[in-house]
Amino acid sequence: MLRTHTCGELREEHIGAEVNLCGWVDTVRDHGGVIFIDLRDRYGLTQVIFDPKDSQTSWDVAQAVRGEFVIKVGGVVEARPPDMANQKLDTGSIEVRCDAITVLNESLTPPFPLDDKDAGQVSEDLRLTSRYLDLRRARMQRNLAVRHRITQSIRDYVDELGFLDVETPILTKSTPEGARDYLVPSRVVPGSFFALPQAPQQYKQLLMVAGVDRYFQVARCFRDEDLRADRQPEFTQIDMEMSFITADDIYEVVDGMLAAVMKASGHEAPSLPFPRLTYKEAMERFGSDKPDLRFGMELTELTSVFQESEFKVFRGVIEKGGVVKAINAKKLGAVPPRIIDEWTVMAKDAGLGGLAYIRVQPDGNWKSPIVKFFSEAEKEGLAMALQMEAGDLVLFAADTVDVVNIALGRLRLLAGEMAGLIQPGRFKFTWVTDFPLFERAQDGRLTPMHHPFTHPHPEDMALLDSDPLSVRAEAYDIVLNGVELGGGSIRIHDQKLQEKMFGVLGMPEEEVKDRFGHLLRGLSFGAPPHGGIALGLDRLVMLMLQEDSIRDVIAFPKTQRAMDLMMDAPAPVDAEQLRDLHIDLNLPVE
Ligand code: ASP
């Protein structure tokens, strides 16, 4: 080894020891004759002192080194004078008096400062172009290390429970998860393509057919979709599948796994089991299928209060079968009119005709353009249902139940944020269960809400033909602070039911055979009842570290335009490669 210790290791107990350290020059400070170098590696920072009285040669070299040079230093560990100790550094009570220095490699001047405090000023594109430098920053080193610890804690946990880590192919066939595929042309079979997996879904189900019983994989998945801050074209899932289980077993396994993750990332262990809400309840109470449970401000149903109302807007909606609901945004009674205007625009975007509100003034009087239409009984009913007090702001929505829930769900988040109720550092997990099996696509067709392998809720089987949109699925999501961490389902293990499912979705038999013949065949050889889940690892790590972007927890992420700026990918290839792949780029563009 070139070194005896790392740059984060030396303490008072090492005083007097002869050591060798290697690392990068973080800073050089010339204090009139004495030079200090902060030497950095993944483990920390150590102050090295050069004095021409100790070694003129070393002092000369020290004077010539620049930031990011890689050096080796040899010397003796000394106590820092008490007034020079640095409490913020683990190595802050010592320094190394250097009598031998070797430059192991020089460095160009980095294109941006590697200090965490300056990182915010640097454009992300610049950081990503020289990611190997960006990753030298302490914060990114911490992120990589915590990501490793989280993954390791998951591996240990599932290993304990008897899960087998099985790798599934990257070159495979399209499997529907609702995104576009990344395709790889085949050289051997002209005109044919592999798809990169959007998820190992069918493989893991077929592993259950194979008797693997408990499967797990840290699986790379690929989805060609428009990117947002928390999406990447390639991302990592904690992918799991279990045989002979019910949804409750999945909840229990994942509860324990997330508790281990919380511990591994230095947070307090959460209390288990995590709460469970049905999709219906989540929509009704929080207006979201991924409710943020860090605060209340629940949606309150007021339809019965306004059944006979003189206020035509409410009564009209109710007469047409719609609903009236409201949230009480506590303590926001004095928000500026500008905010109400912004929220009104948002409410209209969500489909509402407008946003009605009441400000409860400090003296308890209600200020609102609509209360004059309310009867005494209505006012009383309202005040009671919403427990209105001085300083509150009540926001109403009246429309079909779906529009009302979604609009109030969004307003709830904005109001919660404004009232300071969404506090960082708090972690509220919840399960959302019993999702609908189907939804209507934009073209009016029935599509699976999750994927077509999801088992219908046993109580709703009879509705599959008569009223498919009201069929619930044995599908669940795990949600943290309003973010979907992952989802899964009990699967269809009966080949006939799977065929029926494709039928309900209106898939022609030929297409079913082409796309899913292998799965149907697999299911017909004694497939056990099974189910599973996949959790987005990148997002999980991001939330544990309280970072804003998943790009900050992925070593080499792609940009919002799905480019790797460091490797300059994607990139054109030469004509010969294209010929080998039977690709003609000069085909007319349609
Ligand atoms: N394959 C699903 C997904 O990637 C998750 C699952 O159902 O296990 O979203």
Side-chain angles (χ1 to χ4, degrees):
M1 288 280 256
L2 297 184
R3 62 187 176 199
T4 53
H5 296 82
T6 70
C7 298
E9 205 175 338
L10 298 173
R11 303 283 184 274
E12 275 172 19
E13 73 215 50
H14 296 100
I15 288 169
E18 287 264 0
V19 298
N20 285 319
L21 301 181
C22 294
W24 286 264
V25 173
D26 198 69
T27 50
V28 187
R29 295 183 304 276
D30 192 334
H31 280 213
V34 183
I35 294 172
F36 291 99
I37 289 182
D38 279 344
L39 194 61
R40 184 193 72 232
D41 65 10
R42 188 186 121 192
Y43 310 94
L45 210 67
T46 301
Q47 176 166 293
V48 187
I49 174 167
F50 299 82
D51 188 328
K53 286 200 232 73
D54 301 324
S55 157
Q56 182 67 41
T57 338
S58 297
W59 188 85
D60 289 343
V61 178
Q63 233 194 358
V65 300
R66 297 281 166 267
E68 301 312 306
F69 274 32
V70 187
I71 59 173
K72 175 184 169 186
V73 297
V76 179
V77 183
E78 290 185 348
R80 287 200 205 182
D83 55 330
M84 304 291 265
N86 181 348
Q87 308 293 350
K88 285 195 217 119
L89 274 186
D90 290 339
T91 60
S93 56
I94 57 95
E95 61 195 2
V96 173
R97 180 165 291 273
C98 177
D99 53 27
I101 170 171
T102 317
V103 174
L104 299 174
N105 212 342
E106 299 188 352
S107 170
L108 297 175
T109 305
F112 50 87
L114 305 186
D115 263 4
D116 278 327
K117 63 174 172 16
D118 293 330
Q121 325 295 329
V122 182
S123 92
E124 193 179 25
D125 281 3
L126 191 60
R127 286 172 52 200
L128 290 178
T129 308
S130 304
R131 185 63 155 179
Y132 39 84
L133 293 178
D134 190 42
L135 290 177
R136 281 188 196 164
R137 293 192 295 115
R139 174 153 176 180
M140 299 308 278
Q141 292 283 329
R142 175 205 68 172
N143 289 3
L144 292 179
V146 171
R147 183 180 175 117
H148 163 77
R149 275 209 305 280
I150 288 176
T151 315
Q152 194 58 36
S153 72
I154 293 173
R155 284 188 188 284
D156 292 344
Y157 176 79
V158 294
D159 178 54
E160 252 328 90
L161 294 180
F163 282 77
L164 289 191
D165 180 349
V166 183
E167 286 164 85
T168 55
I170 294 292
L171 292 177
T172 178
K173 190 171 179 169
S174 180
T175 189
E177 296 278 353
R180 219 177 274 125
D181 287 321
Y182 276 100
L183 298 175
V184 180
S186 162
R187 180 180 56 79
V188 185
V189 190
S192 286
F193 294 80
F194 292 106
L196 304 184
Q198 291 189 29
Q201 184 60 35
Q202 296 181 60
Y203 285 109
K204 66 175 169 176
Q205 290 193 235
L206 291 166
L207 284 170
M208 295 303 103
V209 178
V212 165
D213 196 70
R214 290 183 160 208
Y215 145 91
F216 142 87
Q217 186 180 189
V218 181
R220 195 66 66 84
C221 303
F222 305 84
R223 298 183 190 179
D224 187 0
E225 52 195 350
D226 295 330
L227 305 183
R228 298 195 305 251
D230 63 348
R231 292 256 170 103
Q232 279 277 300
E234 59 178 301
F235 59 96
T236 307
Q237 281 190 346
I238 302 297
D239 199 42
M240 312 171 79
E241 198 74 8
M242 299 162 80
S243 291
F244 306 114
I245 47 113
T246 65
D248 283 345
D249 300 295
I250 303 274
Y251 304 153
E252 206 182 305
V253 166
V254 174
D255 279 1
M257 187 168 91
L258 289 171
V261 165
M262 286 283 282
K263 257 179 48 203
S265 21
H267 300 297
E268 217 175 279
S271 64
L272 300 182
F274 294 142
R276 297 172 196 174
L277 292 169
T278 63
Y279 171 85
K280 187 164 178 280
E281 212 183 337
M283 293 306 295
E284 276 171 7
R285 291 174 53 195
F286 302 98
S288 169
D289 61 0
K290 34 181 190 292
D292 190 334
L293 298 191
R294 282 175 295 180
F295 66 105
M297 211 188 281
E298 294 193 20
L299 281 50
T300 304
E301 174 85 51
L302 298 166
T303 312
S304 59
V305 175
F306 292 106
Q307 205 86 45
E308 313 283 324
S309 184
E310 291 292 303
F311 185 43
K312 290 209 187 68
V313 179
F314 286 0
R315 210 183 56 221
V317 162
I318 296 170
E319 276 167 6
K320 278 195 246 137
V323 301
V324 178
K325 292 174 87 165
I327 52 174
N328 183 353
K330 290 253 158 231
K331 304 201 171 67
L332 290 186
V335 289
R338 171 178 59 82
I339 298 291
I340 301 272
D341 291 346
E342 274 174 33
W343 290 355
T344 306
V345 171
M346 201 234 73
K348 286 185 178 164
D349 275 354
L352 290 181
L355 182 63
Y357 61 91
I358 298 174
R359 294 172 187 274
V360 188
Q361 296 178 302
D363 61 7
N365 282 328
W366 295 4
K367 196 168 157 217
S368 158
I370 60 168
V371 278
K372 57 176 180 272
F373 301 110
F374 294 173
S375 68
E376 281 313 309
E378 282 164 9
K379 283 190 209 160
E380 234 169 75
L382 182 63
M384 200 140 83
L386 288 167
Q387 300 184 358
M388 287 162 69
E389 291 170 335
D392 289 354
L393 174 72
V394 174
L395 300 170
F396 293 92
D399 209 299
T400 61
V401 65
D402 290 345
V403 169
V404 163
N405 285 344
I406 287 176
L408 281 184
R410 289 189 199 163
L411 287 166
R412 173 181 174 269
L413 289 180
L414 294 175
E417 179 89 61
M418 179 154 292
L421 297 173
I422 303 185
Q423 303 221 331
R426 290 189 61 215
F427 295 89
K428 288 285 178 196
F429 293 88
T430 183
W431 288 97
V432 178
T433 70
D434 298 349
F435 273 80
L437 188 59
F438 302 108
E439 60 189 349
R440 275 240 184 270
Q442 272 173 355
D443 62 6
R445 281 195 322 200
L446 217 51
T447 57
M449 187 129 171
H450 194 187
H451 51 53
F453 320 116
T454 306
H455 202 285
H457 198 291
E459 286 167 17
D460 297 349
M461 266 333 184
L463 300 169
L464 262 184
D465 292 308
S466 57
D467 186 9
L469 279 173
S470 71
V471 176
R472 288 167 299 167
E474 281 193 278
Y476 33 77
D477 277 356
I478 177 77
V479 173
L480 168 58
N481 293 353
V483 178
E484 178 200 328
L485 275 185
S489 57
I490 298 299
R491 326 294 184 188
I492 298 172
H493 67 278
D494 174 348
Q495 187 244 8
K496 294 221 169 46
L497 181 58
Q498 186 64 71
E499 266 180 345
K500 178 171 175 76
M501 184 73 175
F502 291 133
V504 175
L505 288 167
M507 268 192 214
E509 249 171 65
E510 257 327 282
E511 186 188 333
V512 170
K513 216 169 107 218
D514 274 2
R515 292 181 60 192
F516 303 114
H518 53 277
L519 181 76
L520 288 170
R521 191 170 131 74
L523 293 182
S524 58
F525 285 96
H530 62 283
I533 191 164
L535 283 87
L537 178 66
D538 311 295
R539 220 179 272 180
L540 178 61
V541 175
M542 173 183 89
L543 291 172
M544 289 297 119
L545 283 165
Q546 297 170 57
E547 288 284 10
D548 294 328
S549 159
I550 57 170
R551 293 188 294 280
D552 283 339
V553 301
I554 297 174
F556 299 106
K558 306 229 170 0
T559 62
Q560 302 271 45
R561 294 195 55 231
M563 315 257 289
D564 181 332
L565 293 180
M566 187 185 73
M567 302 293 277
D568 201 9
V573 296
D574 62 40
E576 198 176 331
Q577 267 181 307
L578 288 175
R579 256 196 311 281
D580 281 351
L581 295 170
H582 322 282
I583 290 178
D584 178 0
L585 288 185
N586 297 318
L587 281 179
V589 180
E590 277 177 25

